Amino acid sequence: MIESFDTLLKQYEEGRLTRRQLLGALAALAVPAAAGAQGSAVRARSLHHVNVGVANLDRSEQFYRDLLGLPPRRYIVGDAYALDFPDGGLISLCPVEGGNCSLTAGSAVAGEIDHFGVGIENFDAERVAGALEEAGFEEVRQAGPTSVLVPDPDGLIVQLSAVTERFEGTPPDRGC
C-alpha cells in the first residue's frame, strides 16, 4: 500500500492529479481494507479490464484513443485487442465479426460489455475458486490457471485474475 501512496504523491507532484483527485484516491485506498474486513471470499484490488463487443475494431480504437488519450491497441488473446490505461487496467475490444473473445455463450454483441475483470490480491485460481464455492457462489469455473469466472445475478461474467495479469499472446495467423 505504501507504493500506492508514493505513486499518488508522485503523480500529484508532477501535476498529473489535482488536489481533489489526490484526496479522493487516498480515501479510496482506505476503503478496501474496511470492505475486506467484512468477510468477503476474495479481496479485489483493481478493475483490471472491461471487454466490449465492437462492430468495427478500427473505428472503436480511434474513438477510445481520441476520447481518453490512450496509446495504440495491442493484441492480447483470441481476437481481442487492449487499449491500456497508463496506471493499469485496460479496455478490451472484442470484434463481433469472427470474434472469439467473448466469455458468454456465442459471440460478442456490439456495444455491450461481455464481461469485466477484477484484479485479486494474492491470486491463485484453485484457492479463489474454492473460496468462492465455499462462500456459496454458484457456477464458479476456472479458466485455466489465470482466471476464475463467476456470473453475477443477471448473468454478467466477472473474471477474477491476478492484479498484474497481462493476457498477452501471439496474433492468430489469418492467412490470405
Side-chain angles (χ1 to χ4, degrees), residues 96-118:
V96 171
E97 284 295 315
N100 64 354
C101 40
S102 172
L103 292 181
T104 57
S107 61
V109 176
E112 290 190 7
I113 294 175
D114 172 74
H115 70 276
F116 67 94
V118 176

